[in-house]
Amino acid sequence: MCNKSPLGEFLRARRRLTSPATAGVPHVDYRRRTPGLRRDEVAMLAGLSIGYYTRLEQGKQRCPSEQVIGALARVFCLDTDATAHLYELAHPRARIRESTHRPIDPDVVRLMERWTHAPAFVVNHRWDVLVRNRLSTALWEGYEYVDNLMRFTFLNPESREFYLEWEKEAAFKVAHLRATTVAVHHDAFLRDLIAELSGNSEDFRRLWARHDVCITAREPKRLHHRRVGDLILWCQMFSIEGAPGHLIFVSQAEPGSPSEHALARMAGMGRGPRHITFCH
């Protein structure tokens, strides 16, 4: 987020990750050492001059037209989320100033209390966990760094046992965090988090350098709980009206599945009468 040209950084990353074959470059010499596409190839495929495209990557040209952005999205085969991110980098709107300690709406808390058979929690744009219901607390009980799911994923080795498809989960979280860096304005805590993860996790550095963007998880999560075993949960996330950047994540199992029975057993393991855990 501290780069002088986030647009240029994004274009360089996507160019290096796009293969000539995928982009449809004719007559490629596959013995070349350059990863991905060359600048002249991107310019040719997008219908731009090499000088103009080079200035985009160098941050010397920062306001490309919608036609140019659309052409580059096609060259790099960007999906809907990544294309929206590219447009936002090229034409940023008014940024959000996030409150670090925004209170959770009591109606949201009451709603989560009623979900007795579905793990649910609220996060902000940094993946800080702000509140959990009882079943979510039981799911994460005993692990370190669960107050921030980015730290849990990349700084706690046990996360590789918890997430049975760790690479997929880690890539999604990084791609989701990447998307928030455009919308959030001057968040020192977010910059510190990225610096901390970059300094302590080679996997985070690798995934962050890809500039992948993903807003919504589209596949079930496969987890391993210490006491009830493996779980397959479908996760939905919802934005909270009046609290930009705050999301509710709620997970559920297929009706009648072993995972549903495992969640029922876990619900019976809750300690004490309190359903909601507020995280600080």
Side-chain angles (χ1 to χ4, degrees):
M1 2 180 356
C2 299
N3 294 317
K4 293 183 179 180
S5 176
L7 174 61
E9 288 290 315
F10 181 82
L11 292 175
R12 279 194 293 275
R14 301 322 300 177
R15 174 168 61 83
R16 292 166 181 165
L17 290 169
T18 304
S19 70
T22 299
V25 176
H27 310 301
V28 176
D29 179 2
Y30 288 99
R31 294 172 298 178
R32 66 182 183 177
R33 298 180 179 178
T34 304
L37 297 173
R38 297 194 300 257
R39 284 177 176 172
D40 62 297
E41 292 169 337
V42 174
M44 175 194 68
L45 292 167
L48 308 174
S49 71
I50 179 62
Y52 181 82
Y53 178 73
T54 299
R55 290 194 297 275
L56 283 176
E57 280 202 2
Q58 292 175 341
K60 297 177 181 178
Q61 179 70 44
R62 301 193 182 190
C63 296
S65 68
E66 291 193 3
Q67 290 79 7
V68 168
I69 294 301
L72 291 172
R74 288 191 295 273
V75 171
F76 297 137
C77 303
L78 302 183
D79 63 14
T80 302
D81 289 344
T83 299
H85 183 70
L86 177 56
Y87 272 100
E88 183 68 18
L89 290 173
H91 303 286
R93 297 166 293 177
R95 307 296 177 86
I96 300 170
R97 286 188 175 272
E98 282 289 344
S99 172
T100 305
H101 302 292
R102 187 190 302 272
I104 304 299
D105 189 321
D107 289 335
V108 173
V109 175
R110 284 192 291 272
L111 176 65
M112 292 174 61
E113 286 178 335
R114 294 187 174 96
W115 291 337
T116 56
H117 298 287
F121 57 89
V122 176
V123 298
N124 62 14
H125 62 283
R126 297 184 298 267
W127 287 89
D128 294 325
V129 181
L130 306 179
V131 60
R132 301 179 184 276
N133 69 359
R134 183 171 64 182
L135 194 51
S136 177
T137 299
L139 181 62
W140 298 88
E141 185 178 7
Y143 290 103
E144 292 185 312
Y145 295 116
V146 294
D147 59 328
N148 178 278
L149 296 185
M150 294 300 299
R151 290 191 179 95
F152 172 75
T153 302
F154 290 98
L155 302 184
N156 188 341
E158 291 181 304
S159 70
R160 296 175 184 271
E161 299 175 1
F162 184 82
Y163 295 120
L164 295 178
E165 296 176 304
W166 184 90
E167 182 73 21
K168 184 184 295 185
E169 182 66 24
F172 164 68
K173 282 188 168 59
V174 171
H176 193 280
L177 187 72
R178 170 67 73 178
T180 70
T181 62
V182 179
V184 179
H185 184 50
H186 293 322
D187 184 347
F189 293 98
L190 180 57
R191 290 196 298 270
D192 290 346
L193 175 64
I194 293 170
E196 177 188 0
L197 296 172
S198 297
N200 292 283
S201 172
E202 181 179 349
D203 285 310
F204 179 83
R205 292 193 298 272
R206 169 177 57 84
L207 292 170
W208 187 250
R210 290 178 55 89
H211 286 253
D212 289 333
V213 177
C214 184
I215 304 300
T216 306
R218 300 177 177 88
E219 297 179 348
K221 294 184 183 294
R222 301 177 186 276
L223 311 176
H224 178 77
H225 186 265
R226 289 166 170 169
R227 299 176 66 181
V228 300
D230 293 350
L231 297 162
I232 299 176
L233 302 178
W234 290 89
C235 183
Q236 296 289 331
M237 64 182 193
F238 308 93
S239 58
I240 300 177
E241 184 177 357
H246 284 191
L247 298 170
I248 297 179
F249 281 80
V250 57
S251 301
Q252 60 180 335
E254 290 287 345
S257 67
S259 295
E260 184 182 55
H261 296 314
L263 285 180
R265 293 198 304 275
M266 194 186 306
M269 298 175 185
R271 297 178 179 177
R274 191 180 182 187
H275 285 212
I276 290 288
T277 299
F278 287 89
C279 307
H280 302 283

